[in-house]
Amino acid sequence: MSYLDDPRVYFAAERTLLAWQRSAIALMGLGFVIERFGLFMQLVAHDHPLPHAQSALSLYIGVGFILIGACTALLSAVQFLIFCQSLNIQEKPRGHVLWLPPAVNLFLAATAIALSGWLILTR
């Protein structure tokens, strides 16, 4: 009997995926806040306009964090799929949807990439 016959192994991998998902969401949220903080600084400093380089810096750093979050979501989904492919049919929990957790991560990554493009195009 393999240690993988225990369903807790699969569920531990799924919890790890969800922890990476939370990390990706946190990185994306931080990136959005950084990008919007540059816009806030422009609004506050209406009497003394900020140099373009300073306002563009918040855009690049914020979009960078959003894209790092997208990469985190994407790579964790790929790692989880690789793990699921290594399991045989007896090791997979019966009645459990195996494709949903990585699909959520892939949707999260696609949304983050679209948000990055929108932030760059609207600036």
Side-chain angles (χ1 to χ4, degrees), residues 38 40 50:
F40 172 73
L50 294 175

Side-chain angles (χ1 to χ4, degrees), residues 32-56:
F32 186 76
V33 167
I34 290 171
E35 196 281 330
R36 289 291 125 171
F37 185 72
L39 181 62
F40 172 73
M41 290 303 293
Q42 284 180 346
L43 292 174
V44 169
H46 58 82
D47 292 336
H48 307 298
L50 294 175
H52 178 70
Q54 188 174 355
S55 66

Side-chain angles (χ1 to χ4, degrees), residues 16 55 59 111:
T16 302
S55 66
L59 172 70
T111 304

Side-chain angles (χ1 to χ4, degrees), residues 20-97:
W20 280 111
Q21 187 179 71
R22 286 189 301 271
S23 299
I25 291 170
L27 286 166
M28 289 181 231
L30 178 63
F32 186 76
V33 167
I34 290 171
E35 196 281 330
R36 289 291 125 171
F37 185 72
L39 181 62
F40 172 73
M41 290 303 293
Q42 284 180 346
L43 292 174
V44 169
H46 58 82
D47 292 336
H48 307 298
L50 294 175
H52 178 70
Q54 188 174 355
S55 66
L57 184 63
S58 69
L59 172 70
Y60 297 137
I61 292 173
V63 168
F65 270 98
I66 293 171
L67 292 176
I68 289 171
C71 289
T72 301
L74 183 66
L75 293 174
S76 63
V78 169
Q79 182 67 31
F80 183 78
L81 288 171
I82 290 170
F83 172 77
C84 285
Q85 288 177 349
S86 71
L87 298 175
N88 63 34
I89 195 71
Q90 294 89 4
E91 295 167 339
K92 295 178 183 175
R94 275 182 251 119
H96 197 72
V97 180

Side-chain angles (χ1 to χ4, degrees), residues 32 35-36 39 59 114-123:
F32 186 76
E35 196 281 330
R36 289 291 125 171
L39 181 62
L59 172 70
L115 175 65
S116 297
W118 178 74
L119 289 172
I120 289 171
L121 291 175
T122 58
R123 184 60 82 97

